[in-house]
Amino acid sequence: MTSGADKHIKLLFVFYFLAGVLVCLRFRFKIFEVYGDSMEPTLLRGEKLVGISHLRLRTGDIVVFEGGIGVNKLIKRIKLIEGNKVIVEGDNRIHSTDSRQFGPID
């Protein structure tokens, strides 16, 4: 026989689980894998990170964006925001292809 407290705990668990699923769907969480060395020592090759779409960008944020023709998504840190242009750089500047080579991103 289940006590009233056990039923209450199970109900709360289901509620919080469903709320978590809805939050994940709402904010469009995505999982990305680090493939290069450009963000070392912050992010290492093979690590996974969770990205959240459509948040306000700030200097210092780590962003994931389309790398262009023949390039998968890139992971970089925002160095500067000027209007609609965003300057990004890898934390490991020696091994990073970033806005210093391809210019700002939109």
Side-chain angles (χ1 to χ4, degrees), residues 12 15 35 39 46 66 73 76 86 94:
L12 280 175
F15 172 78
Y35 288 102
M39 287 301 291
E66 294 295 330
K73 295 187 184 306
K76 306 293 179 192
V86 179
I94 294 171

Side-chain angles (χ1 to χ4, degrees), residues 58-61 63 65 76-82 84-90 98-100 102-106:
R58 292 175 288 203
T59 301
D61 285 351
V63 293
F65 58 96
K76 306 293 179 192
R77 187 177 303 277
I78 296 176
K79 177 86 173 178
L80 180 69
I81 300 173
E82 293 180 339
N84 291 335
K85 303 291 183 184
V86 179
I87 308 295
V88 294
E89 284 187 4
D98 48 43
S99 288
R100 293 171 295 155
F102 54 72
I105 59 174
D106 294 320

Side-chain angles (χ1 to χ4, degrees), residues 25-65:
L25 292 174
R26 169 71 174 108
F27 288 108
R28 296 178 220 150
F29 288 98
K30 294 181 183 175
I31 297 175
F32 299 96
E33 184 172 350
V34 178
Y35 288 102
D37 303 323
S38 70
M39 287 301 291
E40 286 184 356
T42 307
L43 301 172
L44 303 176
R45 183 187 302 261
E47 287 185 330
K48 298 199 177 11
L49 58 117
V50 177
I52 304 171
S53 300
H54 305 293
L55 293 179
R56 193 179 117 227
L57 298 176
R58 292 175 288 203
T59 301
D61 285 351
I62 294 175
V63 293
V64 180
F65 58 96

